[in-house]
Amino acid sequence: MISIKSAREIEIMRKSCELAANTLAYIEPFVKPGVSTEELNTLCHEYITKNGAYPSPLNYHGFPKSICTSINEVICHGIPSKKDIVRDGDILNIDVTTYLNKFHGDTNRTFFVGQVSDEIKKLVTVTHECMMKGIEQVRPGALLGDVGEEIETHAHAHGYSVVHEYCGHGIGREFHEEPQVLHYGRKGTGLKLKEGMVFTIEPMINAGKRYCKVLKDEWTVVTRDKKVSAQFEHTILVTKSGYEILTLPTLNS
Ligand code: MF3
Ligand code: CO
Ligand code: CO
């Protein structure tokens, strides 16, 4: 079942999404060479809980931490750890999901750590463009295949690949709701969008091949070829005339 959010529910979701986005803005200046992902986890946990919310990943299907931290060849679901200290030239994705007043808000960004090579900067730029091009397809009557094809075409135009095993998702009272939002596909196919639907678009784009594997910790997803992967995520509302990005920060970073 795909839920259509009421005006009242959308108001509450705006607050949760805004807090998730503000958490990313808050953490940005701490993303520097030498910081551990454990320290970033602690800071985000405190920020989220001080703002009256719960970090949705914590204990979600047994996930042990409050945010996901994915470095370089880690595609998604990296577990914060004291042992993972980011270095100059790395890229780090921080994925924040907040649960505030019974609604979830979900967003992520890939940060540069110090000075990053032009090659990696390009992957990150193109990945952000992929997310935005997907978002720009959203309006009542559009199909999810329109979103997927747009993302896939842009990634392939730059010689990159799209991860198939993980996708965007409906969101609201539950962290992961229907529908699944694939980041590949064909225009004119898939679910028809309606005003009041809320879902994430969160493409994972690889510099090399699209194939992935899960490490022994049962969470960390890495590229099989060990080449870098980037991701961006926003929570999107389908409005009467198009879309609204709910996960925009109101905090200056
Ligand atoms: N925030 C991720 C997403 O975008 C999901 C993380 S699940 C976790 O859907 F358990 F790893 F936290
Ligand atoms: Co998500
Ligand atoms: Co997320």
Side-chain angles (χ1 to χ4, degrees):
M1 195 206 64
I2 297 162
S3 81
I4 300 294
K5 272 73 179 176
S6 69
R8 197 186 121 263
E9 290 174 320
I10 289 164
E11 272 319 301
I12 306 172
M13 285 205 75
R14 267 204 189 88
K15 292 284 173 227
S16 191
C17 288
E18 188 179 296
L19 175 59
N22 282 347
T23 307
L24 287 179
Y26 161 76
I27 204 64
E28 180 170 22
F30 296 99
V31 181
K32 290 273 141 56
V35 76
S36 73
T37 54
E38 170 78 27
E39 291 171 84
L40 298 171
N41 177 78
T42 302
L43 288 165
C44 288
H45 181 95
E46 285 168 0
Y47 185 83
I48 291 164
T49 53
K50 278 181 184 149
N51 280 280
Y54 180 84
S56 310
L58 186 59
N59 301 319
Y60 179 76
H61 294 278
F63 191 79
K65 297 284 177 174
S66 300
I67 57 172
C68 296
T69 49
S70 303
I71 305 170
N72 298 341
E73 74 282 0
V74 179
I75 296 171
C76 63
H77 303 169
I79 304 172
S81 162
K82 282 183 187 145
K83 290 185 199 154
D84 287 326
I85 295 166
V86 295
R87 298 165 310 168
D88 190 61
D90 284 346
I91 54 171
L92 169 67
N93 180 282
I94 300 183
D95 193 333
V96 171
T97 314
T98 50
Y99 186 62
L100 179 68
N101 295 329
K102 305 233 155 92
F103 284 86
H104 297 271
D106 191 6
T107 184
N108 76 50
R109 264 165 71 186
T110 299
F111 296 98
F112 298 133
V113 182
Q115 290 301 316
V116 168
S117 72
D118 288 347
E119 205 180 322
I120 294 177
K121 271 187 192 158
K122 172 139 180 280
L123 172 73
V124 174
T125 302
V126 171
T127 302
H128 189 262
E129 289 167 359
C130 283
M131 176 188 67
M132 291 311 300
K133 282 174 177 282
I135 291 171
E136 283 159 14
Q137 294 297 309
V138 174
R139 56 171 176 79
L143 306 182
L144 280 180
D146 305 348
V147 173
E149 183 173 319
E150 197 71 13
I151 293 168
E152 183 178 40
T153 300
H154 191 62
H156 288 174
H158 290 276
Y160 301 141
S161 64
V162 177
V163 173
H164 284 203
E165 286 80 356
Y166 302 88
C167 57
H169 49 91
I171 181 166
R173 290 181 189 275
E174 303 294 331
F175 191 165
H176 294 107
E177 301 183 355
E178 285 180 57
Q180 293 196 34
V181 180
L182 303 183
H183 304 116
Y184 60 94
R186 286 297 155 253
K187 291 202 173 174
T189 69
L191 179 85
K192 187 175 280 187
L193 301 180
K194 292 197 180 85
E195 187 183 352
M197 288 180 178
V198 180
F199 51 82
T200 71
I201 297 180
E202 49 178 302
M204 285 141 272
I205 306 297
N206 296 352
K209 295 202 161 64
R210 71 173 177 84
Y211 304 103
C212 56
K213 67 173 179 188
V214 181
L215 298 186
K216 282 206 188 71
D217 63 20
E218 295 184 352
W219 282 105
T220 309
V221 182
V222 298
T223 57
R224 287 203 94 93
D225 61 13
K226 299 194 171 69
K227 293 193 179 170
V228 288
S229 181
Q231 183 182 25
F232 285 87
E233 173 175 33
H234 273 310
T235 298
I236 307 298
L237 165 70
V238 185
T239 63
K240 193 181 279 304
S241 59
Y243 66 85
E244 181 183 334
I245 300 175
L246 297 180
T247 37
L248 291 178
T250 54
L251 181 79
N252 297 315
S253 60

